[in-house]
Amino acid sequence: AEGTLPGMRSGARPLLVLLLGAAGIAAAAVVLTPPVYRWLLGLDAIDPDEFLKVLRRLLLFPMLLALFAWLKPWRDGGPRSYGLLGEHARPSLFVRAWLVTAAILLALLVWHFLAGWIAWEVPFDTTKALRRLGRWLAVGFVLSVLEEWFFRGWLERRLLARAFAPLSAALVVALVYAAIHAFKPSRLDIEVTHDAAGALRALGWWLTHLMDPVAFGPTFLGLFLFSLVLTAAWRRWRTLWVPIGVHAAGITVLRSYGAFTDRDPQRTWAGGKELLDGFPAWLLLIGALILIIRGGAPNPGPDEPGSRS
């Protein structure tokens, strides 16, 4: 095909472009993180320990923007086709899903408290706790809307449109969703300098961490099962408001409680700070998945994945 490198199949060109683009963005993030970090630090916009957060944002945000610009996901359906607007929206399901999920997570946290793995931070700062809770209520909602539209809505629809079987599409979405969460500052277990060499070392460690079945395996399994539950909820109720409610509650509860509690040990057989990396959460997620699947045929809703609105 015209414009294809010699000896390369035309179908391989998009993959090569994607890989080269990702490598270019990663290289730019490594180079730009130190000056951007110093600039934000000078503006008092970040704390001194947020070097890795700057790196992660410079790494993931440009990749997502490039991916969106290339694939133009908005062409595959608007809010109505995902049950976010219109007669099938049923936003009341968002509230119910949020409350049920929050109740389950709080029950797990109570168990961790009673087991002595978690204790209130001393001294307890009520203002800090309320500020943290309010922040993650808002941020959790925004993040869950964006992530559910991208993963459960658009990505699954794209996969089904390319002749993926429903189970295969759900598994691919779950793999991608779980893998992306390896790139978090809190997962880094090494000291890094605040320069390009430190940024490169952190990036390399994250990639290694993703492949480590001991360090990241339990969390990966929990996130993988969580994604399957969210996909099952989307298919069962035919509106993204259900997985958005589940996701938003998870973000709010799990990101809030750690700010005013201390955990020792950091991880037990029942899980760590994220709770999803332990046997109780795995069993709950498997149980929820079975209940949703056995709940009956999908309710009437927006157009089926794979079609355009």
Side-chain angles (χ1 to χ4, degrees):
E2 183 179 353
T4 304
L5 294 177
M8 181 191 302
R9 295 180 180 179
S10 60
R13 187 182 180 190
L15 178 59
L16 178 61
V17 172
L18 179 62
L19 293 175
L20 290 176
I25 291 173
V30 168
V31 173
L32 292 175
T33 295
V36 172
Y37 166 77
R38 290 192 293 269
W39 175 64
L40 292 174
L41 198 60
L43 295 176
D44 202 25
I46 59 173
D47 294 328
D49 61 351
E50 295 192 55
F51 178 82
L52 294 174
K53 288 186 178 181
V54 175
L55 171 61
R56 186 172 186 264
R57 289 164 184 168
L58 289 177
L59 183 67
L60 294 184
F61 287 170
M63 284 191 178
L64 288 176
L65 290 175
L67 192 63
F68 272 45
W70 183 30
L71 298 175
K72 300 178 176 59
W74 52 85
R75 298 181 304 180
D76 292 329
R80 288 180 179 275
S81 69
Y82 296 119
L84 293 173
L85 295 176
E87 59 179 314
H88 302 297
R90 292 174 293 167
S92 60
L93 290 176
F94 164 84
V95 178
R96 290 161 59 184
W98 196 101
L99 291 174
V100 169
T101 304
I104 293 173
L105 291 174
L106 289 174
L108 279 175
L109 287 175
V110 168
W111 178 26
H112 281 230
F113 266 104
L114 295 177
W117 302 323
I118 302 177
W120 294 113
E121 186 180 63
V122 179
F124 184 82
D125 190 334
T126 304
T127 302
K128 173 186 174 182
L130 292 176
R131 189 188 313 118
R132 180 85 171 187
L133 179 61
R135 173 191 174 190
W136 283 108
L137 276 170
V139 174
F141 175 77
V142 174
L143 287 179
S144 61
V145 169
L146 293 175
E147 291 193 23
E148 291 311 304
W149 170 70
F150 181 80
F151 288 105
R152 250 58 59 182
W154 173 79
L155 181 56
E156 187 194 26
R157 174 172 292 186
R158 272 280 182 160
L159 294 174
L160 291 174
R162 295 177 183 275
F164 274 68
L167 177 58
S168 298
L171 293 176
V172 171
V173 169
L175 286 171
V176 175
Y177 175 78
I180 286 179
H181 287 76
F183 295 84
K184 293 180 63 175
S186 58
R187 302 197 195 285
L188 199 67
D189 197 26
I190 59 173
E191 293 292 332
V192 297
T193 53
H194 296 169
D195 54 18
L200 183 60
R201 188 182 183 206
L203 182 58
W205 191 92
W206 275 330
L207 292 172
T208 303
H209 180 66
L210 175 60
M211 304 299 176
D212 190 332
V214 176
F216 187 58
T219 302
F220 184 92
L221 177 58
L223 290 168
F224 182 84
L225 292 172
F226 185 57
S227 177
L228 292 181
V229 169
L230 295 173
T231 298
W234 155 232
R235 291 181 180 176
R236 171 66 181 85
W237 283 279
R238 306 307 310 150
T239 170
L240 282 180
W241 282 122
V242 179
I244 286 172
V246 175
H247 200 155
I251 292 175
T252 299
V253 174
L254 297 181
R255 293 293 179 269
S256 297
Y257 88 92
F260 41 85
T261 59
D262 293 317
R263 176 179 287 275
D264 185 32
Q266 291 302 307
R267 186 177 182 276
T268 69
W269 63 271
K273 182 179 179 180
E274 296 176 331
L275 300 183
L276 293 177
D277 55 348
F279 286 102
W282 298 342
L283 293 177
L284 285 171
L285 289 169
I286 293 172
L289 185 60
I290 294 173
L291 288 175
I292 294 172
I293 293 175
R294 297 186 62 181
N299 292 330
D303 59 319
E304 293 296 316
S307 60
R308 295 175 184 265
S309 62

